[in-house]
Amino acid sequence: MSAVMQIQTRALKAIHDYMFEKGVTHIMPVIMSTFTDPLSHKVDDAEIIYKGQRLKITKSLMPFKPLVLSALESAAIYTVSPCVRFEKETGTKRHLLEFSQVDIEMKDAKKEDFMQFIEELIVSVFSAVKKDCKKELEQLGRSLRVPETPFKVFKKPELVEKYGADFETIVSRMGSGLFWIIDHKREFYDKEDPGKLGSYLNYDLVYPEGFGEALSGGEREYEYEQILSRMKRSGVDPAPYRALLEVAKEGMLVPTSGGGFGVERMVRYLTGAERIEDAALFPKIPGQEVLI
Ligand code: AMP
Ligand code: MG
């Protein structure tokens, strides 16, 4: 675990250095709010009640990030944020009940801009770890490859047709480079392609060697009517999102693209750990009793 934590330390420094070089504003996490990310899979929300008001514990920094960019002059923001998700699925080797997410959002960016930004970040982080953590990688028996850019891009509907529901794991096991899967039908805030309704301008980044999903994100909906219609279609109650909807109604929500990646999943991949709990201190594993 000492070697794992040293690699995590180097990776986080490389992430912060990269963000600073790119002029990305570092914001602090939001831990509690009236709403949190609805996500596209069912997760029990963690809640607390303070003076009669029900507050949700953060599952991700969506949809706070576009609100922040609408208020600040910054071209881009990021945070390293704790997230709590009472995941229902057990035994995945890549889910924790509590994890940390590097959550990024860029103003006026298209999905290609964001994807390129992330590819550069990955190369920068992997190169730093490979160069400065030789001893630790050797101790862990990990031969780490710095991927070549641009990463391959696959369309989800085509992968589903070819490989069925387990497409992500199958393709992840096939190659040795990170790759993108685009066009997922999911949360109301990921932008639908106006030129091709029923398609979505979003993406997942996937680690090779069977490690699976690294990051999810997309271009975001920012127009009031479209957000309302997307909420209705995905069965999301608009009431808790009143503040977001008011900003959108005033035409003040700016177009953005963004995404988030899990720190523990990145450290798991960098170190070649069998399970995510081998890359986290005090891991809380879905389906298992919490020890500490
Ligand atoms: P999402 O937008 O829900 O896909 O979450 C963004 C990223 O956070 C994922 O791509 C993972 O890297 C990470 N992540 C999500 N859920 C978990 C979890 N339960 N445990 C660890 N990492 C997670
Ligand atoms: Mg995801």
Side-chain angles (χ1 to χ4, degrees):
M1 192 47 97
S2 300
V4 172
M5 287 299 120
Q6 187 56 33
I7 288 171
Q8 174 172 283
T9 302
R10 188 62 193 94
L12 282 169
K13 176 173 160 44
I15 292 166
H16 290 300
D17 286 348
Y18 180 80
M19 298 293 183
F20 190 77
E21 268 166 36
K22 297 280 178 182
V24 182
T25 303
H26 190 174
I27 64 162
M28 290 297 109
V30 179
I31 307 287
M32 303 179 287
S33 185
T34 50
F35 58 74
T36 184
D37 193 331
L39 301 179
S40 56
H41 66 294
K42 274 262 171 289
V43 165
D44 289 329
D45 289 358
E47 291 183 342
I48 48 164
I49 294 174
Y50 176 70
K51 291 192 185 291
Q53 188 176 18
R54 196 176 283 272
L55 297 175
K56 301 210 180 250
I57 309 295
T58 287
K59 290 190 292 202
S60 91
L61 261 280
M62 278 304 285
F64 303 103
K65 294 183 295 171
L67 273 174
V68 173
L69 279 180
S70 300
L72 298 187
E73 283 174 12
S74 307
I77 53 166
Y78 82 107
T79 186
V80 183
S81 171
C83 297
V84 174
R85 298 183 184 180
F86 292 134
E87 303 278 0
K88 292 182 190 286
E89 210 186 329
T90 58
T92 66
K93 297 183 182 176
R94 58 193 173 96
H95 287 87
L96 294 167
L97 302 182
E98 178 188 314
F99 65 99
S100 295
Q101 192 176 170
V102 177
D103 225 331
I104 311 147
E105 201 75 17
M106 293 164 68
K107 211 179 267 180
D108 293 321
K110 294 289 173 206
K111 72 176 194 307
E112 292 75 17
D113 303 322
F114 188 82
M115 289 158 77
Q116 199 191 331
F117 177 91
I118 292 295
E119 290 186 7
E120 251 186 77
L121 176 137
I122 292 282
V123 168
S124 171
V125 173
F126 283 31
S127 305
V129 168
K130 201 173 161 80
K131 178 170 161 283
D132 293 339
C133 300
K134 283 200 182 77
K135 190 184 79 193
E136 289 80 5
L137 289 169
E138 207 178 291
Q139 264 175 25
L140 297 163
R142 177 63 165 159
S143 78
L144 179 66
R145 242 188 90 235
V146 178
E148 274 161 31
T149 59
F151 300 168
K152 276 191 186 145
V153 181
F154 299 98
K155 292 188 177 132
K156 178 181 166 182
E158 290 175 10
L159 291 185
V160 173
E161 207 177 302
K162 205 162 168 192
Y163 300 108
D166 210 17
F167 64 92
E168 187 194 284
T169 312
I170 295 171
V171 185
S172 171
R173 283 189 184 136
M174 274 165 26
S176 58
L178 284 93
F179 60 91
W180 296 99
I181 304 180
I182 59 169
D183 189 3
H184 306 256
K185 183 173 191 292
R186 53 191 183 206
E187 297 91 347
F188 72 84
Y189 50 70
D190 273 4
K191 193 168 171 58
E192 186 172 23
D193 188 344
K196 197 175 169 215
L197 297 183
S199 287
Y200 299 87
L201 301 170
N202 56 14
Y203 33 79
D204 271 5
L205 179 66
V206 185
Y207 294 119
E209 304 167 52
F211 284 80
E213 184 192 315
L215 167 147
S216 289
E219 291 184 27
R220 314 300 189 185
E221 299 285 7
Y222 61 96
E223 290 152 315
Y224 177 70
E225 294 295 342
Q226 177 69 4
I227 297 177
L228 264 188
S229 137
R230 291 292 310 285
M231 282 180 164
K232 204 175 274 172
R233 274 153 56 194
S234 22
V236 169
D237 175 13
Y241 300 95
R242 202 178 58 221
L244 175 80
L245 287 164
E246 274 174 28
V247 174
K249 200 171 186 177
E250 294 294 324
M252 284 162 62
L253 201 58
V254 293
T256 64
S257 289
F261 63 88
V263 173
E264 296 82 355
R265 283 198 193 176
M266 177 181 269
V267 174
R268 178 190 171 209
Y269 181 75
L270 289 169
T271 59
E274 162 68 13
R275 301 156 305 175
I276 193 165
E277 52 263 43
D278 300 330
L281 299 170
F282 310 110
K284 291 155 191 87
I285 306 156
Q288 293 188 24
E289 189 188 355
V290 175
L291 292 178
I292 303 183

